Amino acid sequence: MTLIYRIQPENFDREVMAETRPVLVLCMPRDDQFPQQLKIIEEIAANHDREIKVGLVQEEFIEAFKKKYLVIGTPTILILEGGKEKGRILGLANGEMLTDLIANSKRPFLPEKA
C-alpha cells in the first residue's frame, strides 16, 4: 500500500489541503468488501500516480471526515482539489468508474443555462 496515503486528523492539512495534485480519497469502514475495494484503489494509484494522489481515510477519522464532506454513506470515494470536492462516487466502484471520476474531475464546472 505504498502509493496510498493514510489520511488522519494529524496529516489531513498536509496530505489533502496542501496537495497540488487532485486527491482521490476512499472513505470506507474495514468490512468484508474493503480488501476488494482497496485492491482496485491500489491499481488506480499505480496507474495514475503522476496525476493524482490517493488517500485512505483511517478508521478513527471516518466520522469526522463524513461530517466535513457531508458523506451520507460508505463506501464513498471523493476527488478533492485544495480540499474542495470535484467529484464523488457513493458505493463500491470498479476501475472504470474511478478512471471516469478522475477524468471528469479535470473538466471545468459549467453551470447549466436557465
Side-chain angles (χ1 to χ4, degrees):
M1 203 164 79
T2 56
L3 296 174
I4 298 179
Y5 294 81
R6 292 180 169 94
I7 306 298
Q8 48 204 359
E10 303 83 44
N11 70 359
F12 182 78
D13 286 344
R14 181 181 70 245
E15 299 294 354
V16 177
M17 302 298 281
E19 177 60 46
T20 57
R21 298 174 291 170
V23 183
L24 184 138
V25 180
L26 172 61
C27 180
M28 182 176 187
R30 304 328 186 248
D31 59 15
D32 292 344
Q33 297 173 323
F34 178 77
Q36 179 182 359
Q37 187 66 74
L38 183 60
K39 183 177 179 186
I40 294 168
I41 293 289
E42 287 173 334
E43 290 172 8
I44 290 295
N47 292 333
H48 296 273
D49 67 323
R50 292 186 182 186
E51 60 188 298
I52 65 165
K53 182 178 200 173
V54 178
L56 171 64
V57 178
Q58 295 302 285
E59 285 220 86
E60 67 274 5
F61 189 42
I62 287 177
E63 289 307 314
F65 184 87
K66 285 170 63 176
K67 286 179 185 174
K68 180 173 181 60
Y69 287 100
L70 304 175
V71 172
I72 58 170
T74 58
T76 294
I77 301 161
L78 300 170
I79 290 274
L80 305 173
E81 278 189 44
K84 295 181 181 166
E85 183 177 337
K86 295 293 188 177
R88 170 184 300 225
I89 296 173
L90 176 59
L92 296 171
N94 62 33
E96 182 179 345
M97 293 166 68
L98 294 171
T99 299
D100 287 348
L101 178 67
I102 293 164
N104 290 335
S105 73
K106 295 176 186 173
R107 295 184 186 148
F109 175 73
L110 299 174
E112 292 183 26
K113 294 181 181 178

